[in-house]
Amino acid sequence: MEHSKSIEAFEEAKRYIVGGVNSPVRAFNSVGGTPPFIERGDGGYLIDIDGNRYIDYVQSWGPLILGHTDERIQKAVKDAVEKGLSFGAPTETETELAKKIVSLFPNVVEKLRFVNSGTEAVMSAIRLARGFTGKDDIVKFEGNYHGHSDSLLVQAGSGATTFGKPSSSGVPQDFTNHTLLAKYNDIESVKKAFEESNNIACVIIEPIAGNMGLVPAEKSFLEELREITKENGAILIFDEVMSGFRAGLRGAIGITGVEPDLVTFGKVIGGGMPVGAFGGKGEIMDYLSPNGGVYQAGTLSGNPIAMSAGNAMLDILMENEGVYSVLENRAKRLMEGFDEVAKRHGIPLQTEYRGSMFGFFFNENRVKNFDDALKSDTKMFAKFHRGMLEQGVYLACSQFETGFISTATSDNMVEKTIDIADKVMKSIR
Ligand SMILES: *Cc1c(COP(=O)(O)O)cnc(C)c1O
């Protein structure tokens, strides 16, 4: 494969944009090499500026469940553009999208607010939980990602539940003193947090974690979380920015039946445009301004182009709910294929899938939390990633990310990917 144009473009980009990228993972630092610069998407494929064609399992990190350049989404966007790009005033398009989401979560979401990213959705949901409960502390899980707002940039500490240390410079320790860490799939660590603090406003969790690789929470664990938060007067927040409309039409809520007090969305609900949302019962949501005292705002929030893309996306998904089992079957086949070829070449591999999400760890043991995930062989992953890329398969460029199947990722493309994985694993073992 030829990459000279991407190499040149990356050098040029690095001169003007920090690290050459506008989101750090895109720089390929954890796998090495130059990231392909993208010319365009085509269904289940990405095409780079050197003309290389890749089967795309990243899909803009989740949003593109219908693949690239879906005609229906593109038409909705074009029609909206004709009417103007932004008004900073209410439109019926926003209500339309809100109504669809509310209809999907009858016991959970009565009211919503739209924002421009997952980060904003989570940041605002946390402020709301604090405003509603009058409490300050929050509990988050090691290895869960909730965007890059200050109090959530706290990850792994020691094994025990401890008050978190910031995992980014520029975040004062004072900001994260209110963030308690617990261990994923470990209810004892959550109980301990509630023993340490009687000031807990909320527990936030990725109910299907996708930012430490794919690690679903056990249903019983989510049920226990629901109970503990209720008993202690704390809000339970499901961060379904990734899993919402991805793992299934109703995300983890639909799969597990566990109902949080607040839920955050992003990625798929924007159809590829920047959208985030958070919602819950009216009695909580009405604490938000202008109805209540918790301030939250956005110049471009509920932007008509983004809302139109979201409406088209949800129309398609709600009319074709059966598509999720088709996608899950492909994810299952891909992961079973990876299992088979890894076994053939004596490479330890753990695989997982939920709906259209899949993940694999170069790991001896099943991964249930962040500590387990960190035991994966990241050097092996980097070699595998590079090998797959060179053969035309575009996988997320870190061991700790999730892969995505779109409706444009055909059975044939999946089979081809397994054949390529066979060759690559043979060469790297
Ligand atoms: C992607 C993601 C976010 C952040 O969303 P952005 O749109 O990147 O700000 C938050 N939570 C989860 C679970 C995510 O996967």
Side-chain angles (χ1 to χ4, degrees), residues 58-87:
V58 178
Q59 295 170 10
S60 192
W61 301 94
L64 307 180
I65 194 167
L66 305 175
H68 298 273
T69 59
D70 182 90
E71 277 173 15
R72 298 157 295 185
I73 307 276
Q74 296 207 317
K75 176 164 189 316
V77 169
K78 282 178 192 158
D79 289 350
V81 165
E82 295 284 322
K83 295 181 191 163
L85 300 185
S86 179
F87 311 117

Side-chain angles (χ1 to χ4, degrees), residues 403-425:
F404 302 100
I405 305 279
S406 77
T407 55
T409 317
S410 67
D411 290 334
N412 259 342
M413 288 157 82
V414 167
E415 293 307 322
K416 194 173 164 200
T417 304
I418 296 167
D419 288 344
I420 294 170
D422 190 12
K423 279 187 228 151
V424 173
M425 289 211 195

Side-chain angles (χ1 to χ4, degrees), residues 117-120 122 145-148 206 211 239 241-242 267:
S117 67
T119 295
E120 264 186 85
V122 174
Y145 178 69
H146 303 293
H148 62 90
E206 282 185 76
N211 290 288
D239 181 354
V241 168
M242 186 189 290
K267 298 190 171 123

Side-chain angles (χ1 to χ4, degrees), residues 114-185:
F114 291 111
V115 291
N116 301 296
S117 67
T119 295
E120 264 186 85
V122 174
M123 181 182 78
S124 306
I126 299 256
R127 185 180 304 143
L128 178 59
R130 283 172 162 157
F132 179 77
T133 58
K135 297 175 182 174
D136 294 333
D137 292 344
I138 63 177
V139 175
K140 86 170 278 290
F141 293 91
E142 292 170 8
N144 278 198
Y145 178 69
H146 303 293
H148 62 90
S149 65
D150 284 340
S151 61
L152 290 162
L153 275 182
V154 183
Q155 301 173 332
S158 57
T161 305
T162 50
F163 282 95
K165 284 202 171 48
S167 55
S168 163
S169 67
V171 177
Q173 175 78 51
D174 292 352
F175 284 28
T176 58
N177 281 346
H178 288 293
T179 307
L180 287 88
L181 281 173
K183 219 189 215 2
Y184 204 68
N185 279 321

